[in-house]
Amino acid sequence: MTLTDDRNIHPSADGAAPPRPDRLAPIEIAPETFVIHDTFAPPGAPGAVHMNSMLIRGAEPVVVDTGAPTNRAAYLDDLFGLVEPEDVRWVFISHDDVDHYGNVHEVMDACPNATLVASWFLCDRVSVDRLDVPPTRWRWVNDGETLEVGDRTLAAIRPPLYDSPTTRGLYDPTTGVYWASDCYATPVPGPTAFVDELDPEAWAGGFQTFQAWNSPWVSLLDEHRFADACAVIERLTLRAIATCHGPTIGASQIDHAFEMLRRVPSLPVPPQPDQLALDQIVATIESMSLSLPS
Ligand SMILES: [Fe+2]
Ligand SMILES: [Fe+2]
């Protein structure tokens, strides 16, 4: 994966999973709502990107995305440090990218009382690889539909930008938290819990880069039509936006994030790393190999 894509194009020399920077513990961003952090920093990349997920620990606990397989042990440790596996009732997958469903089998196996909240298209696309969860444990919730989870009613709402047609975010009206899946994301210099900790210019540049790379079709959009899509989220009563690939956006920064998102179609798209960048990565790996004692 580049800083902002869903794929690792910076493999380590031995093919092992790239190392994670210092681990950031889960943070309760709203009552009984926890962001579970993962920070991915491939060798050769100038920064890092989060691979977060979330837990809503209400009357019927909801796992929101299941993290990346390369962070499996730490993810399961964090998740089951917050909730007993038998208590988990719902496992919501926002879309069919492996950084979002990467530990779905481990979670569903560990949580016998959980139902997988997906959609027809999501199950169809994941099954091309492997989906070893029987349909008797599925629940299909499409964009615009709701899910009753005991003490609250969650709403599946597609974010304005996404990289898979199966994408639905998840809105909890009892806390005002919106799980935005890939949207509202930005790369980070290292593990970062909230966007307030970022340099504002770095946030703006990273935000534009992430949205434009992850949803390259945004450059085709009419700004006014896109603003209508953005308004779907802006009309929600929000206290925080949590995203898989960035720090949480707290209440004081939400309006600024809305403004930045609306501008994405009209701003230039930074170039992605090219063959020259890959040559430099390979040269770095080779020089590291040469410097190792034989
Ligand atoms: Fe994605
Ligand atoms: Fe993603």
Side-chain angles (χ1 to χ4, degrees), residues 6 95-100 162-164 167 181-182 214 245:
D6 279 336
H95 67 291
D96 58 300
D97 278 338
V98 73
D99 48 332
H100 298 259
Y162 47 87
D163 66 358
S164 163
T167 300
S181 192
D182 285 347
N214 206 55
H245 303 300

Side-chain angles (χ1 to χ4, degrees), residues 21-284:
D22 294 340
R23 191 168 157 193
L24 192 60
I27 290 181
E28 188 172 15
I29 62 166
E32 298 301 328
T33 303
F34 300 85
V35 170
I36 297 172
H37 296 97
D38 176 25
T39 316
F40 179 86
V49 68
H50 284 296
M51 297 280 172
N52 296 342
S53 55
M54 200 170 80
L55 170 71
I56 302 171
R57 199 172 58 181
E60 298 180 5
V62 184
V63 170
V64 183
D65 282 338
T66 62
T70 45
N71 188 48
R72 179 164 297 153
Y75 166 73
L76 295 173
D77 195 36
D78 284 343
L79 175 64
F80 295 132
L82 294 168
V83 65
E84 293 298 325
E86 307 77 44
D87 292 340
V88 174
R89 292 290 306 280
W90 307 97
V91 177
F92 174 87
I93 301 296
S94 69
H95 67 291
D96 58 300
D97 278 338
V98 73
D99 48 332
H100 298 259
Y101 76 85
N103 299 305
V104 69
H105 294 114
E106 287 71 19
V107 173
M108 293 300 292
D109 287 349
C111 303
N113 301 311
T115 294
L116 179 67
V117 183
S119 67
W120 162 77
F121 205 9
L122 195 154
C123 290
D124 181 66
R125 287 166 64 102
V126 173
S127 297
V128 172
D129 176 22
R130 179 172 75 98
L131 182 54
D132 291 339
V133 179
T136 50
R137 297 186 69 191
W138 296 355
R139 172 77 173 270
W140 287 349
V141 176
N142 292 314
D143 176 36
E145 297 180 343
T146 57
L147 178 70
E148 303 283 341
V149 294
D151 57 352
R152 65 198 75 196
T153 302
L154 305 176
I157 304 175
R158 180 174 294 140
L161 294 179
Y162 47 87
D163 66 358
S164 163
T166 67
T167 300
R168 298 100 65 245
L170 194 64
Y171 175 56
D172 182 349
T174 65
T175 57
V177 171
Y178 177 60
W179 175 254
S181 192
D182 285 347
C183 197
Y184 300 102
T186 191
V188 288
T192 308
F194 293 95
V195 292
D196 314 61
E197 301 163 39
L198 297 173
D199 171 77
E201 273 190 37
W203 182 27
F207 188 98
Q208 172 67 16
T209 302
F210 194 106
Q211 319 309 313
W213 285 5
N214 206 55
S215 308
W217 44 269
V218 72
S219 62
L220 305 173
L221 299 181
D222 172 86
E223 266 181 74
H224 302 290
R225 297 287 298 276
F226 182 59
D228 292 342
C230 292
V232 171
I233 305 303
E234 293 168 6
R235 280 195 293 267
L236 301 174
T237 301
L238 288 178
R239 178 172 169 181
I241 297 174
T243 169
C244 180
H245 303 300
T248 295
I249 302 169
S252 65
Q253 300 283 5
I254 286 176
D255 283 346
H256 185 47
F258 286 161
E259 285 169 25
M260 290 197 295
L261 194 69
R262 269 184 258 123
R263 287 200 299 266
V264 171
S266 60
L267 293 181
V269 179
Q272 293 189 19
D274 57 9
Q275 180 60 39
L276 183 61
L278 177 57
D279 289 344
Q280 291 169 345
I281 291 165
V282 171
T284 302

